[in-house]
């Protein structure tokens, strides 16, 4: 791959988004874009820049009473015949335009052009968000240098339709297992059909009433759903096992332990194995920095129903919100795009908040 041109942080945020999109950075291939970001930010004396793998951190140190983090990931999902970037009227098309190089461009513009913010700011542009958590740059930074993530408030610039989405829900996957006894299907009465035994699992899921707690004035909507089912041995054999895979999206007022306990109790009488889980993130909208941010943005605040890396900040005791350009429905799609107006509005509102 050819060496990319240097990033021009004096360009408008839309032009800068094009520059970032045209540096292919599929997960685990972020060296070129991280090099470009590190070089560009290192040119500014008001920033202290450090490199951690392919994660770049830039900080102001002005002695302000508050510090905030503004973060975005540099990687994308695999290319799908959607490079280079293409401007079509008011929409910018291309891999990563929405998820989330439009947000990254805003971060870089703010880092370069707001030399004396009214709060100290830590800008984090990190690697490997789109793949397994073990590679995630924020996850690794929280383990190796948690002090660099310390702040009173954090903003993750994931696409949120340029609206504030506060906190995020937690998520877990569980395998609920029904057992039986194998037998020849011609003599079914000699065995126990595990797939039939799984029917009450589905009945419980169908009857489930979602919990809707209100946190900081925001109503979260939990979800408990079957997302997979497997069982069967052969066309003439009664199966002795059937596994229903369940996904639970839980509101951030529940811990991982509480969520796991709920799932085990909900499926009492069955073997339940927790496959993976991740905690939610409380919105923290009552904090001064959050209130000032919402006032500056002047937009409706919504709960985040999905899971994002804001949860990593909550794990460190830092309230966080999602706020970035782009409709998340277009993330990872071949026709991924972002409205130009979203990029410009996010930059203007964050600049006002920091000025």
């Amino acid at each position: 791959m050819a060496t990319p041109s240097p990033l021009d942080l004096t360009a408008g945020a839309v032009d800068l988004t094009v520059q970032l999109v045209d540096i292919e950075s599929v997960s685990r291939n972020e060296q070129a874009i991280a090099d470009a970001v590190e070089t560009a930010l290192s040119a500014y004396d008001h920033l202290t820049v450090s490199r951690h793998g392919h994660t770049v951190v830039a900080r102001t140190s002005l002695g302000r009473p508050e510090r905030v983090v503004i973060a975005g990931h540099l990687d994308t999902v695999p290319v799908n015949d959607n490079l280079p970037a293409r401007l079509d009227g008011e929409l910018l098309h291309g891999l990563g335009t929405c998820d989330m190089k439009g947000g990254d461009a805003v971060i870089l513009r703010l880092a370069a052009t707001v030399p004396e913010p009214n709060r100290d700011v830590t800008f984090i542009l990190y690697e490997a968000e789109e793949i397994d958590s073990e590679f995630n740059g924020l996850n690794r930074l929280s383990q190796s240098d948690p002090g660099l993530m310390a702040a009173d408030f954090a903003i993750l610039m994931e696409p949120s339709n340029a609206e504030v989405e506060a906190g995020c829900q937690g998520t877990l996957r569980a395998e609920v297992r029904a057992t039986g006894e194998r037998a020849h299907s011609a003599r079914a009465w000699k065995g126990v059909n595990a797939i039939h035994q799984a029917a009450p699992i589905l009945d419980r899921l169908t009857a489930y009433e979602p919990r809707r707690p209100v946190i900081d004035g925001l109503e979260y909507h939990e979800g408990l759903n079957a997302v997979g089912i497997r069982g069967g041995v052969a066309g003439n054999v009664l199966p002795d096992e059937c596994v229903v895979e369940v996904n639970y999206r839980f509101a951030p007022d529940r811990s991982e332990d509480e969520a796991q306990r709920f799932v085990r109790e909900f499926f009492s009488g069955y073997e339940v194995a927790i496959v993976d889980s991740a905690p939610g993130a409380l919105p923290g909208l009552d904090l001064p920095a959050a209130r000032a941010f919402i006032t500056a943005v002047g937009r409706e605040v919504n709960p985040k129903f999905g899971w994002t890396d804001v949860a990593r900040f909550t794990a460190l005791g830092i309230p966080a919100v999602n706020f970035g350009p782009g409709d998340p429905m277009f993330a990872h799609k071949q026709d991924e795009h972002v409205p130009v107006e979203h990029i410009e509005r996010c930059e203007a509102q964050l600049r006002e908040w920091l000025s």
Side-chain angles (χ1 to χ4, degrees):
M1 184 175 62
T3 301
S5 301
L7 294 175
D8 179 8
L9 305 192
T10 66
V14 176
D15 289 340
L16 186 53
T17 302
V18 172
Q19 296 175 50
L20 291 170
V21 169
D22 288 348
I23 304 176
E24 185 265 293
S25 59
V26 174
S27 305
R28 307 292 283 163
N29 188 36
E30 301 100 325
Q31 179 170 342
I33 196 167
D35 287 349
V37 166
E38 181 185 18
T39 298
L41 291 175
S42 295
Y44 293 89
D45 293 338
H46 66 276
L47 298 172
T48 300
V49 179
S50 59
R51 178 80 171 258
H52 310 265
H54 297 323
T55 294
V56 181
V57 180
R59 294 163 54 90
T60 65
S61 299
L62 302 169
R64 306 297 197 222
E66 284 185 332
R67 177 173 290 277
V68 297
V69 169
I70 306 179
H73 64 81
L74 294 170
D75 64 318
T76 71
V77 296
V79 180
N80 188 14
D81 194 27
N82 50 2
L83 284 179
R86 173 176 56 86
L87 184 62
D88 181 12
E90 293 303 309
L91 298 177
L92 180 62
H93 295 259
L95 177 63
T97 48
C98 172
D99 188 16
M100 55 176 293
K101 291 183 177 180
D104 293 337
V106 172
I107 292 172
L108 290 170
R109 283 281 297 157
L110 295 171
T113 62
V114 186
E116 294 190 7
N118 54 20
R119 299 165 173 85
D120 271 313
V121 187
T122 301
F123 302 97
I124 304 176
L125 294 115
Y126 61 99
E127 63 183 318
E129 187 271 347
E130 299 289 6
I131 55 175
D132 292 348
S133 179
E134 65 178 298
F135 303 111
N136 184 292
L138 270 188
N139 181 41
R140 290 184 168 185
L141 194 66
S142 71
Q143 297 173 21
S144 65
D145 298 274
L148 289 178
M149 292 175 63
D152 300 289
F153 182 60
I155 299 167
L156 191 67
M157 296 205 68
E158 286 279 3
S160 62
N161 275 308
E163 305 280 357
V164 178
E165 293 183 334
C168 72
Q169 297 204 137
T171 182
L172 71 78
R173 285 189 303 117
E175 291 184 343
V176 185
R177 193 177 311 274
T179 58
E181 182 182 352
R182 291 192 191 188
H184 196 294
S185 60
R187 295 178 292 278
W189 60 90
K190 295 293 186 179
V192 178
N193 192 318
I195 293 178
H196 295 181
Q197 296 295 104
I201 297 173
L202 301 179
D203 289 341
R204 292 186 196 184
L205 287 168
T206 301
Y208 165 74
E209 291 291 336
R211 180 170 165 267
R212 299 186 180 188
V214 176
I215 307 168
D216 285 357
L218 303 176
E219 183 180 83
Y220 289 82
H221 189 143
E222 296 191 335
L224 186 67
N225 291 281
V227 293
I229 189 166
R230 65 179 188 270
V233 179
N236 59 353
V237 178
L238 261 66
D240 58 351
E241 179 180 85
C242 181
V243 177
V244 180
E245 184 178 347
V246 174
N247 179 222
Y248 178 37
R249 297 290 176 143
F250 55 95
D253 61 340
R254 272 188 169 163
S255 68
E256 283 183 275
D257 287 343
E258 290 169 334
Q260 292 179 20
R261 185 162 58 251
F262 166 76
V263 169
R264 294 186 190 280
E265 291 173 354
F266 188 86
F267 294 109
S268 62
Y270 291 92
E271 178 187 340
V272 177
I274 305 300
V275 177
D276 62 34
S277 70
L282 289 166
L285 299 181
D286 58 336
L287 296 176
R291 288 200 304 269
F293 173 67
I294 292 165
T295 298
V297 169
R299 308 288 292 188
E300 181 180 356
V301 181
N302 301 303
K304 182 68 173 179
F305 295 120
W307 188 92
T308 72
D309 273 327
V310 297
R312 301 195 189 281
F313 290 102
T314 293
L316 296 173
I318 304 165
V321 299
N322 302 277
F323 176 69
D327 183 342
M329 293 296 292
F330 290 99
H332 302 184
K333 293 176 69 68
Q334 184 177 38
D335 64 341
E336 181 175 356
H337 59 264
V338 63
V340 167
E341 186 270 336
H342 279 197
I343 298 173
E344 293 173 340
R345 172 152 47 95
C346 284
E347 180 187 3
Q349 292 174 329
L350 283 168
R351 186 179 299 278
E352 177 185 354
W353 178 60
L354 291 174
S355 299

